[in-house]
């Protein structure tokens, strides 16, 4: 069983940067498509970024493209989300997730089944 633990959230100001970490245990994260989701109060959960494990494809949500970067350190069994130029609308709980699936088309990553989830980390961006 794959366990995921997020860290790195906090309170920052508009324009700041923040790096989230997702430490995997139990199994190696290199065998999964790894993703970051977020959910703001009163809004649906959305896929922010994902990294395919066989294709190497990456997906970014429209609202974060060009500002967020997902990366993997397989030696540390850790996935990161580097967030730059943060905006108040980025305020949300950020969740790390893993899927057994992958896709040759990154646009299909939102449709994958994500079987494993972390507990989430809060990111708050003040204006």
């Amino acid at each position: 069983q794959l366990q995921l633990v997020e860290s790195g959230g906090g309170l920052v100001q508009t324009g700041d940067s923040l790096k989230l970490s997702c430490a995997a245990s139990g199994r190696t994260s290199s065998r999964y498509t790894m993703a970051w989701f977020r959910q703001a109060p009163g809004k649906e959960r959305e896929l922010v970024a994902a990294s395919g494990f066989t294709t190497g494809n990456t997906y970014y949500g429209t609202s974060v493209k060009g500002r967020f970067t997902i990366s993997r350190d397989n030696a540390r069994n850790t996935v990161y989300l580097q967030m730059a130029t943060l905006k108040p609308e980025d305020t949300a709980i950020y969740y790390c997730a893993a899927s057994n699936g992958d896709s040759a088309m990154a646009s299909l990553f939102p449709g994958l089944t994500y079987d494993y989830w972390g507990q989430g980390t809060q990111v708050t961006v003040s204006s």
Side-chain angles (χ1 to χ4, degrees):
Q1 193 81 344
L2 181 68
Q3 288 91 39
L4 304 172
V5 178
E6 304 95 335
S7 61
L11 172 64
V12 296
Q13 295 185 334
T14 298
D16 284 352
S17 297
L18 198 62
K19 187 174 184 177
L20 305 182
S21 299
C22 172
S25 62
R27 293 180 180 176
T28 175
S29 60
S30 63
R31 296 186 177 184
Y32 296 87
T33 289
M34 300 300 296
W36 286 95
F37 287 79
R38 69 184 181 187
Q39 187 164 21
K43 295 187 177 181
E44 291 188 357
R45 185 176 61 197
E46 66 171 321
L47 177 60
V48 174
S51 170
F53 70 103
T54 60
T55 62
N57 286 340
T58 54
Y59 167 92
Y60 293 99
T62 302
S63 61
V64 306
K65 198 171 295 185
R67 298 189 299 122
F68 289 13
T69 303
I70 187 171
S71 62
R72 313 170 69 128
D73 185 338
N74 291 334
R76 295 179 182 271
N77 218 20
T78 302
V79 179
Y80 303 98
L81 184 67
Q82 177 69 55
M83 305 184 292
T85 320
L86 283 162
K87 306 174 182 180
E89 50 264 43
D90 294 318
T91 295
I93 300 175
Y94 283 71
Y95 298 93
C96 179
S99 172
N100 290 294
D102 201 345
S103 175
M105 296 177 62
S107 60
L108 298 181
F109 280 2
L112 296 178
T113 298
Y114 291 87
D115 301 293
Y116 307 97
W117 294 83
Q119 82 289 348
T121 185
Q122 176 72 47
V123 173
T124 303
V125 185
S126 65
S127 57

